[in-house]
Amino acid sequence: MNSFMIAFGLASIALCIGAFLRAKIPFLRNMLVPASVIAGLLGVIFMNAMSHFQINIGTDTEMYGNIVNHLFTISFISICLTSASDNKDNTAKNIFKGALGMGTVWCLLYTITPLVGMIIIALIGGGFNMETIYGSLIPYAFTQGPGQAAAYGTIYESYGWENAAMVGMTFAAIGFVMAFLVGVPAAKLGISRGVAKNCGKIDDSILKGYLKKEEQTNYMVKDTTCNSNMETLTFHFALIGLCYVFALGIAKVMSLLPGFLGSSMSGLMFMNGMYAAYIVKFIMKKLKIDFLIEDTLQSKITGWTADYLVVCAFMAVGFNIIGQWIVPIVVEALIVTAITFCVCFYFGRRFGGSNDFERTLGLYGTSTGTVPSGIALVRIVDPEFKTSTAVELGLMNLVMMLSTPVYITLLAMASKTISVQVTMAILAAMTVVYMIVLKVTRCWRKPTFSWKKD
């Protein structure tokens, strides 16, 4: 417990320093780098420096890995407890098209990146004693984020692949950096070329990352419980705790599935958390007590988990453990970043909507970091969310379910049920399938915008 509180405290200190540096350093302001990413970079340097000099700080990278796993489950529970957004300014047809297009391209990347990753490690990993299978961890990190990188990495470890979670979170940390290092210049180029039609002026408060007293006009939450009985915040965290325990029960049921499916599905706690939250929300609606959930507060809790998730994912990376593999990891991450950029900016222009540029940025940010990363990039070119892009980024999670055959195949490989060669053949076939889906659903059309200046 002491190790957890020290880890939490150090992550909190890093966040405070990150917020200060974002406000004071022009480069960080202009790049709109979130305080959590700055904090994460500071944190990973600090943790590895302490490890290198053998200074006992009362916690370690393993504790941060555990925190990431739990926070990721909590974040999905919180997302599912929040009501869906309602955007009446955009047509259902356009929203569906965007969600379908972005979701299918996400699935395409989810298939291409492990295939490319394993090819790269097969070519260069031998000189670093790195097995080819570790190259398949990158889709969990890039297209899904640090939580899933940790979750799936832990499952890989249960099958005997040592330090897989650490490798996954290292990929995730690099992905977050690439999301903004490449995404922000792309957004600014779109603005300068007249491609971004809805961008307003990015004011000083957005650049510095905080609001002055006179700028603080929005109230965060309304009470749904009497404070003399229970704080509204307490009630919302109690719901999350209820769902978490429920998710543990669902995991026990999943473990009864035959073969590797049982061990794999029971280990995917974030999915079990989703199921638990949806069931609890459904029961509350039936009992007509769902009004007790305050959506603004619930979304703030989700944001809280996201900020700490990013910081802890960085601080979970131990260079002393993966030091000998850092070269192939960085090489793979850079090549996959280039491929992700090309795929997103090729297909993103061809979905067939007026907000294709916003979709492209959102898709790239999501495919290298998380959905919040994608929304952060969209906000640069659509600060008032006049387009439906943010909604589509949420809805595309439904389309992502089409990736089920891919992660089942990868887990089968990790459990040594099928070989690496068979896995690569299946991934190649699925790549073709997703491209066909894009054509059949008419999400692969002629470009809707050009990089030439208007």
Side-chain angles (χ1 to χ4, degrees), residues 257-384:
L257 293 172
F260 77 94
L261 281 177
S263 57
S264 299
M265 299 305 290
S266 63
L268 296 177
M269 276 298 294
F270 69 93
M271 291 186 66
N272 298 327
M274 286 175 59
Y275 303 146
Y278 279 130
I279 292 171
V280 168
K281 188 73 178 286
F282 174 78
I283 293 173
M284 290 182 72
K285 284 185 177 180
K286 286 297 182 181
L287 296 175
K288 298 182 179 180
I289 58 172
D290 56 308
F291 61 86
L292 291 173
I293 299 177
E294 212 289 310
D295 288 331
T296 302
L297 176 58
Q298 198 67 64
S299 66
K300 294 296 182 183
I301 293 174
T302 303
W304 173 82
T305 62
D307 286 334
Y308 275 92
L309 187 63
V310 172
V311 180
C312 292
F314 274 96
M315 297 178 77
V317 176
F319 294 138
N320 60 322
I321 297 177
I322 61 163
Q324 62 175 333
W325 293 348
I326 195 64
V327 172
I329 286 174
V330 171
V331 170
E332 179 181 344
L334 292 177
I335 292 174
V336 168
T337 296
I339 291 172
T340 300
F341 179 85
C342 292
V343 170
C344 289
F345 278 79
Y346 174 81
F347 286 104
R349 299 170 60 203
R350 291 167 166 80
F351 292 143
S354 60
N355 61 321
D356 275 358
F357 180 65
E358 289 82 359
R359 289 168 172 169
T360 300
L361 281 178
L363 178 61
Y364 172 77
T366 301
S367 299
T368 47
T370 57
V371 171
S373 306
I375 291 176
L377 291 179
V378 171
R379 191 177 183 186
I380 298 174
V381 296
D382 183 15
E384 297 179 8

Side-chain angles (χ1 to χ4, degrees), residues 31-362:
M31 289 295 292
L32 301 177
V33 182
S36 58
V37 174
I38 301 170
L41 291 171
L42 295 175
V44 71
I45 294 171
F46 173 78
M47 291 298 294
N48 283 277
M50 295 300 99
S51 175
H52 178 73
F53 292 108
Q54 298 183 339
I55 299 174
N56 184 6
I57 57 175
T59 191
D60 54 22
T61 55
E62 184 179 354
M63 172 55 68
Y64 281 109
N66 292 331
I67 291 174
V68 168
N69 269 322
H70 293 304
L71 276 180
F72 192 62
T73 301
I74 291 172
S75 68
F76 266 79
I77 289 173
S78 185
I79 289 170
C80 296
L81 287 174
T82 309
S83 296
S85 300
D86 182 21
N87 190 330
K88 298 179 181 179
D89 296 328
N90 297 280
T91 66
K93 182 179 179 181
N94 187 56
I95 293 174
F96 175 77
K97 179 191 295 182
L100 179 60
M102 289 192 294
T104 306
V105 173
W106 182 94
C107 290
L108 180 63
L109 285 167
Y110 194 68
T111 308
I112 291 175
T113 53
L115 178 59
V116 171
M118 286 192 288
I119 291 173
I120 293 170
I121 300 304
L123 292 174
I124 68 173
F128 300 89
N129 296 316
M130 188 176 188
E131 296 279 354
T132 299
I133 193 172
Y134 287 98
S136 69
L137 289 164
I138 200 160
Y140 309 126
F142 268 48
T143 54
Q144 293 186 306
Q148 273 131 318
Y152 281 101
T154 301
I155 293 173
Y156 273 48
E157 289 178 357
S158 71
Y159 293 131
W161 303 103
E162 294 183 358
N163 302 319
M166 186 74 69
V167 173
M169 285 186 286
T170 304
F171 279 132
I174 297 173
F176 271 115
V177 174
M178 292 297 104
F180 294 96
L181 192 64
V182 177
V184 173
K188 291 189 172 183
L189 179 62
I191 294 172
S192 66
R193 296 293 172 88
V195 176
K197 307 295 184 183
N198 296 289
C199 61
K201 181 181 179 182
I202 300 176
D203 58 33
D204 189 53
S205 63
I206 293 176
L207 288 172
K208 64 181 183 286
Y210 68 91
L211 299 173
K212 294 181 179 177
K213 186 175 182 179
E214 60 272 15
E215 297 172 323
Q216 298 170 7
T217 57
N218 294 328
Y219 290 93
M220 191 174 80
V221 66
K222 63 177 184 288
D223 286 331
T224 61
T225 61
C226 296
N227 295 342
S228 59
N229 176 44
M230 179 190 291
E231 281 287 350
T232 299
L233 182 61
T234 304
F235 175 75
H236 284 69
F237 271 105
L239 273 182
I240 290 174
L242 167 66
C243 292
Y244 197 97
V245 174
F246 190 7
L248 291 173
I250 294 174
K252 289 289 185 181
V253 175
M254 290 292 187
S255 67
L256 300 177
L257 293 172
F260 77 94
L261 281 177
S263 57
S264 299
M265 299 305 290
S266 63
L268 296 177
M269 276 298 294
F270 69 93
M271 291 186 66
N272 298 327
M274 286 175 59
Y275 303 146
Y278 279 130
I279 292 171
V280 168
K281 188 73 178 286
F282 174 78
I283 293 173
M284 290 182 72
K285 284 185 177 180
K286 286 297 182 181
L287 296 175
K288 298 182 179 180
I289 58 172
D290 56 308
F291 61 86
L292 291 173
I293 299 177
E294 212 289 310
D295 288 331
T296 302
L297 176 58
Q298 198 67 64
S299 66
K300 294 296 182 183
I301 293 174
T302 303
W304 173 82
T305 62
D307 286 334
Y308 275 92
L309 187 63
V310 172
V311 180
C312 292
F314 274 96
M315 297 178 77
V317 176
F319 294 138
N320 60 322
I321 297 177
I322 61 163
Q324 62 175 333
W325 293 348
I326 195 64
V327 172
I329 286 174
V330 171
V331 170
E332 179 181 344
L334 292 177
I335 292 174
V336 168
T337 296
I339 291 172
T340 300
F341 179 85
C342 292
V343 170
C344 289
F345 278 79
Y346 174 81
F347 286 104
R349 299 170 60 203
R350 291 167 166 80
F351 292 143
S354 60
N355 61 321
D356 275 358
F357 180 65
E358 289 82 359
R359 289 168 172 169
T360 300
L361 281 178

